Amino acid sequence: HAVCIFYLVLRALDTIEDDMTISLDVKVPMLHEFHSYLYQPDWKYMESKEKDRQVLEDFPTISMEFRNLSKVYQDVISDICHKMGVGMAEFLEKKVDSQREWDKYCHYVAGLVGIGLSRLFSASELEDPIVGQDTELANSMGLFLQKTNIIRDYLEDQLEGREFWPREVWSRYAKKLSDLAKPENIDMAVQCLNELITNALHHVPDVLTYLSRLKNQSVFNFCAIPQVMAIATLAACYNNKQVFRGVVKIRKGQAVTLMMDATNIQAVKAIMYQYVEEIYQKIPSTDPSSNKTQQIIASIRTMSLPGGPMASRHHYSPIYLSCAMLLAALSWQYLSTISKAAEEYVQAGEN
């Protein structure tokens, strides 16, 4: 219940941030105060134009369920909402310039999700206290997913008027971020893409360490499945011109296989190994980031080798795993933001 309410509360907060029809003088105070709305039984917002506006229109139902949770869960959710709202407001009024600011933005919108979930796992006693206490590893879990989404969603964000690629990186390859979508700039665009993917891969060692600490099978699946989806997505995007022309997605059958396989740490290590090898095979010798890409892949290989320091875990019954995977699918839905509108726009252009 705590995770489901956390999801709905964050979906409401995210809907406010995403709604480009709300003026900044209204939106910024709403983001700052959002955590307090959890304790206001009648608060709702009826003027959103976003597709997920129902969570704002029916917010009294969500906040009532929130207030029915144990105080230990309420405190975690309220605290994360407060920090996230303040961070979202900060980046409404400035663009992501440096790689450090890229990490900071991703922390606000996704790292805090990882930290909040980890605190909930520990508060429930399904996991050891260290899972909730080690905020650096939990933050990396969120950053890996968020950076993957930002990298993959270049074209969608351009169409929506949003920019999340860090200027420090893209300015070495183009005068404007939108220039990367121009056919004449495709070679430089792909080099920029590869540099950002290399940056994201640096979170994988933390991801593997975090997952190795989990003891509860349902929690493990919930956390592991989005991570293996992300590494598969990065492998599909690496050195791929299609990122600047349309939507790059992993195949549905591939996604199902990943969900079925990612049920223990050794399996996840094998999946990570498989996809970083796929990236390694595609590294162009002329790519400016090739050495850095090879170095981080070497580190991931070392951690992913069979018989490493991370303990294996037993498999559970298929019925039990199916229930856990339903939860994992909800997690992936929140952290994955593929836009159908962008895809239709691209297809219309092709036709």
Side-chain angles (χ1 to χ4, degrees):
H1 282 104
V3 171
C4 288
I5 297 303
F6 190 31
Y7 167 85
L8 290 171
V9 168
L10 294 186
R11 173 55 65 203
L13 179 60
D14 199 44
T15 301
I16 293 171
E17 185 208 21
D18 285 345
D19 194 332
M20 305 299 277
T21 67
I22 305 175
S23 62
L24 283 183
D25 60 335
V26 173
K27 186 185 289 191
V28 171
M30 282 179 72
L31 292 173
H32 277 275
E33 297 300 319
F34 186 83
H35 66 289
S36 68
Y37 302 152
L38 293 166
Y39 298 98
Q40 297 177 29
D42 298 326
W43 186 89
K44 58 185 173 182
Y45 185 74
M46 304 300 291
E47 297 169 38
S48 176
K49 303 296 189 293
E50 284 291 296
K51 64 182 185 301
D52 293 324
R53 61 185 176 274
Q54 184 182 354
V55 290
L56 295 172
E57 294 170 354
D58 293 342
F59 198 75
T61 304
I62 297 170
S63 66
M64 179 181 68
E65 292 297 334
F66 165 82
R67 292 188 300 276
N68 286 335
L69 294 173
S70 299
K71 186 178 184 299
V72 66
Y73 296 140
Q74 289 187 37
D75 290 347
V76 170
I77 294 171
S78 176
D79 179 52
I80 295 298
C81 278
H82 188 196
K83 291 173 179 173
M84 190 179 291
V86 170
M88 285 175 166
E90 177 184 333
F91 278 92
L92 282 177
E93 301 180 284
K94 70 176 183 182
K95 291 190 175 180
V96 179
D97 281 329
S98 66
Q99 292 184 68
R100 179 172 292 187
E101 284 190 335
W102 197 37
D103 280 1
K104 189 177 183 183
Y105 171 76
C106 291
H107 163 73
Y108 284 140
V109 300
L112 283 171
V113 180
I115 291 169
L117 285 168
S118 300
R119 287 169 62 187
L120 292 178
F121 299 152
S122 292
S124 69
E125 299 185 357
L126 291 173
E127 299 295 344
D128 291 339
I130 187 64
V131 172
Q133 292 165 358
D134 196 333
T135 56
E136 188 173 339
L137 291 188
N139 188 59
S140 283
M141 293 283 285
L143 261 62
F144 186 57
L145 300 182
Q146 186 65 22
K147 287 182 177 181
T148 298
N149 287 346
I150 287 173
I151 290 165
R152 179 202 58 204
D153 291 343
Y154 166 84
L155 192 62
E156 175 190 329
D157 287 334
Q158 283 293 304
L159 296 174
E160 296 287 335
R162 298 189 292 256
E163 294 191 353
F164 298 114
W165 284 25
R167 177 187 293 271
E168 180 185 342
V169 176
W170 65 254
S171 63
R172 294 198 290 270
Y173 301 93
K175 290 183 179 179
K176 294 186 298 181
L177 182 56
S178 58
D179 289 344
L180 295 178
K182 296 178 179 178
E184 63 269 25
N185 297 329
I186 193 62
D187 291 340
M188 295 295 279
V190 169
Q191 289 179 3
C192 181
L193 168 71
N194 291 347
E195 182 173 343
L196 291 181
I197 290 175
T198 300
N199 176 296
L201 289 174
H202 281 83
H203 297 293
V204 173
D206 277 357
V207 167
L208 291 173
T209 301
Y210 180 98
L211 293 175
S212 72
R213 289 178 173 172
L214 301 179
K215 296 179 177 179
N216 180 276
Q217 186 69 45
S218 182
V219 171
F220 184 87
N221 291 357
F222 183 85
C223 295
I225 290 172
Q227 303 294 332
V228 296
M229 297 282 195
I231 191 68
T233 300
L234 288 184
C237 289
Y238 186 82
N239 210 48
N240 188 349
K241 298 176 182 179
Q242 188 62 25
V243 172
F244 304 95
R245 297 169 178 165
V247 181
V248 175
K249 293 193 285 188
I250 59 176
R251 300 183 310 279
K252 289 181 181 177
Q254 186 180 2
V256 170
T257 299
L258 288 169
M259 290 181 70
M260 296 300 293
D261 288 349
T263 58
N264 64 80
I265 188 61
Q266 294 300 336
V268 170
K269 287 162 64 177
I271 291 167
M272 291 289 188
Y273 190 97
Q274 171 193 339
Y275 284 109
V276 296
E277 280 300 307
E278 189 176 308
I279 292 172
Y280 184 83
Q281 295 302 323
K282 294 194 288 187
I283 299 174
S285 59
T286 56
D287 191 274
S289 304
S290 61
N291 286 339
K292 289 183 178 178
T293 312
Q294 290 167 355
Q295 287 170 8
I296 185 57
I297 286 177
S299 298
I300 297 168
R301 277 175 176 159
T302 301
M303 289 191 74
S304 302
L305 287 173
M310 298 177 189
S312 183
R313 56 190 349 106
H314 299 291
H315 284 267
Y316 286 65
S317 71
I319 293 174
Y320 184 85
L321 294 183
S322 295
C323 294
M325 285 172 190
L326 179 60
L327 281 176
L330 285 172
S331 173
W332 177 244
Q333 181 187 21
Y334 174 70
L335 292 159
S336 177
T337 55
I338 296 175
S339 168
K340 186 177 180 182
E343 193 171 359
E344 289 171 351
Y345 179 92
V346 172
Q347 289 173 347
E350 290 173 348
N351 294 336

